[in-house]
Amino acid sequence: MFIAGVWRRLVWRPRHGGSKMDHKRFKKAEAAAVISIDLGSEWMKIGIVSPGVPMEIVLNKESKRKTPAVVAFRDGVRTFGEDAVTVGVRFPKNTYKFLLDLLGKPYDHPLVKAYKERFPYYDLEASDRGTPIFVHDENTKFTPEELVAQLLAKAKEFAEISHGQPITECVITVPGYFNQAERRALKDAASLAGLNVLQLINDYTAIGINYGIFRRKEINDTPWYTLFFDMGAVSTKAALVEYKTVKIKEKGYVETVPQLQVIGVGFDRTLGGFEMTLRLREHLIKAWLANGGGDVRASPRAMEKLLREAERLKIVLSANTEHYAQIENLMDDKDFKVLVTRAEFEELCSDLWPRVAGVVQRAVAAASGSGGGAKLVLAGGAARAPAVHEALRTAVGHEPARSINADEAATMGAVYRAASLATGYKVAALNVRDAVLLPIQVVFTRNVDGSEKLIKRTLFGPMNPYPQKKVITFNKHIDDFAFNVNYAELDHIPSSELNYIGSLNLSQVVLSGVGEALAKHTGENVEHKGIKAHFNMDDSGILNLVNVEFVAEKTVTEEEEDKDSTLSKIGSTISKLFGSDSETPEKAEEKTEEKPAEAENNGTKTNETTADKQNATETESKPKPKIVVLKEPIKNEEQVLNLQPLSPEQFKESKNKIKQLNAIDKKRIERETALNNLETFVVDAQLKIEMDEYAECGTAEQVEEIKKLCAELSEWLYEEGYEAETDTYEAKLTLLKDKTNPIFYKHWEHRERPDAVAAMKSMLNSSQEFLKMARNLTKEANSDRDVFTDVEIGVLEKKIDETKSWLSKSIEEQNQLRKNDEVKLTVDSIREKMSSLDREVKYLVNKMKIWRPKKPAKKESENKTETVIEPENNGEHEKTEDQKESTENQEEKPEILPEVKEDTGGEKEELPQISDENSEHSEL
């Protein structure tokens, strides 16, 4: 309707000087929004998918698509991103960055030592868990998990502010070489941030998803390959990915879907853009010293300035052959400027370029001959260097492709994965199979001829796909025993990378109650199948011990089956709670040896030996024997042998620390908002009250009082008021509004009244035009088209006359008043009159839409229309059910009106249509 659009603007809204965002109020949606966080050492990027909104990148408060992964603390104020980087130039010790280099690592790790050398101003010490911890001040310490959690929480906040919905679930990218401890530490950090991690996805896998979803039509049963090269800030990865269609069984039926499978991976944990930046900084330091500068290494602030300039210089030299590095007031009030060429830069990094090719070669070698004809695709910001392109071109023999967004491919691939894992979204199917980089084996001892023999069994080998479940069987142990889970078969990893893996021992599992379980299930017809340990490597690449159980098979006849059916059902129920009942051996071994790891599937278990016995003994005279599987849970205790995860007490302590920081931030933001609102409103009021158009809307006493109050508040704000509390600011703002709102309201009324009056006059004109047309649709004017009665026409005519008379009289009365008098003709009163007139017109319009012409072939008695009862009150009508329904729909969606047409079953008749471009009634 016309008035709905007009009154969006013509409504008085007192100014509040600002608004607070209530994070508890969000738009309701059928499905919750989910995000992806591409958390790198230097930058973080956030992707989001929400109901009705396509996948997109979340902008930060500076409206940028990526945010520095930096958090800073200064004078009780916590900052993130660009603000934190600015703080870091002046106060490097208070700014924390490159946190992934410390996450999930012991204090004596080689990468932690390298971190301390690169950033000597940080005070790092070993925590009780043996991990590094930052000593911020004498009262405050931060673990890497706590700092990463604050970054993840900020990413969550950006997404919530951007889309107005609460965020609880996410997918986070991780470097593919992250070990078990590093992955668990990142999940702990996400939990501290209030995020439920749907999956930790390897960054190259996310890139592969982003590449594949836009090429789904090209994926068929013939496999094709792509080699992704990703050089980031601190590391370089290459992944060979296979795309093809596969048949999978889901929800009871077989479906052919595209599949992405990682078949080869190479990586270098210390080859990245930051290493190039550090070498450029060293070059600039030498140039500074050569020009007679002081000992710049002794000044953390000067070193940070040089680091930022070296980073800028590196980016510029990717597109230019030379560029000047220049820093104002580098040290001792001296400026620094030096010309650096691309050739000098490439010479500084000459030993890095051969390592680029090595990463690609290891990825191809890991595929064991697969991947022929693969196309090389670039990703990652550091891959833009011309020398990197040349090294890759030489390694693969063709020009690297740049067909994806190098910065955002991982983010967008991860958010696609988030949508597929979250509830409430339906996305095009893409089956994802990642690959194990760090193989895992189970080690245990067994008594052989009176001596203990060490046995090793591979659980997940190099490049084994995951997610996957595995089962390992111990069939020679009759008493309690223990086994270890370790990294093994690391021959495919360069020796330079082995030191970065950390401890090779993951955990020890101690089993108890084995003898009791075996004794419980004994007999001539019972065959022991051993102790089975069920493992699961989930989507995040984290290994979990699901359960351990003793399994036996009992041969029974149909007569005996009833006795054991209850026990069998209980055993099957317990087993289904923890893992699959069936296992298919990966390798065949003799029964006298422990069985290797078995891959779980949904097939039906067969036992050839038992089946042979059945066939041999089965006769017509004997009952047919059956096999019942008996399972008994075995108590197990798993002890982590490498980096200890956060204990419940430590997690709670870290959570409370972050909550306190959030509370401090919230209080500070509320105070800053209140101060800004007061300052803004005082200035606005001072400017307006000096203007004649506002001053004449109040008395001289009111104007003088406001001027005086504004002057007092301004003086107070710039003196002692600057440190006041939030409540004080809000109270003073309320006081000033109480004084100014009467004047501001009258000014608004006088300014908006002409438009409102013009709108009402236009409505009256349109209503009169409609009335003229309606007079021709009465029984007296046209017996074949008797849409309206004389009473209805009279009611509308009376309403129009009353409205015109009221408007004329009200305008005359208002014109006799001064501007500072109480308003007689208000915008609200005009709106009410327009609404009343509009209802009368709408009633007749709706009646016209449901009217049907008479059919001459029918009897006169059948052509009688339903009588409309005309009450004696103000022209209100009793409507038919169709009219009521039509009116209700019209009030709900006034802007959508059906076309007025009639279908008489024969020739179509149309009512006269009014077409008036100046009419304000959309119904007409």
Side-chain angles (χ1 to χ4, degrees), residues 439-452:
I440 297 175
Q441 70 177 7
V442 172
V443 180
F444 57 93
T445 59
R446 189 181 65 206
N447 189 290
V448 177
D449 297 331
S451 61
E452 295 295 324

Side-chain angles (χ1 to χ4, degrees), residues 474 477-482 509-522 528 530-532 548-551 631-637:
F474 308 92
H477 290 82
I478 58 175
D479 293 316
D480 296 349
F481 67 100
V509 181
V510 179
L511 305 182
S512 58
V514 175
E516 292 83 348
L518 268 65
K520 186 176 180 180
H521 302 286
T522 57
H528 291 178
I531 307 296
K532 294 183 181 289
V548 183
E549 60 187 5
F550 166 73
V551 180
K631 297 186 178 183
E632 185 77 20
I634 301 296
K635 183 179 179 181
N636 62 86
E637 182 179 349

Side-chain angles (χ1 to χ4, degrees), residues 16-47:
H16 296 286
S19 63
K20 299 178 183 177
M21 177 181 178
D22 185 357
H23 291 277
K24 295 182 180 179
R25 297 181 181 180
F26 295 97
K27 293 180 287 187
K28 294 181 180 179
E30 296 178 359
V34 290
I35 62 173
S36 66
I37 304 175
D38 182 14
L39 181 63
S41 296
E42 193 173 14
W43 300 91
M44 68 175 180
K45 296 170 280 290
I46 307 111

Side-chain angles (χ1 to χ4, degrees), residues 77 116 122 167 174 176 179 213 234 283 321 347 405 446 450 522 577 639 769 771 893 906:
V77 177
K116 292 166 65 177
Y122 289 135
I167 305 294
V174 295
N179 60 29
I213 57 177
V234 300
H283 178 73
T321 57
E347 179 63 27
N405 186 321
R446 189 181 65 206
T522 57
L577 289 174
Q639 180 182 0
E769 291 296 326
L771 181 61
K893 297 183 178 180

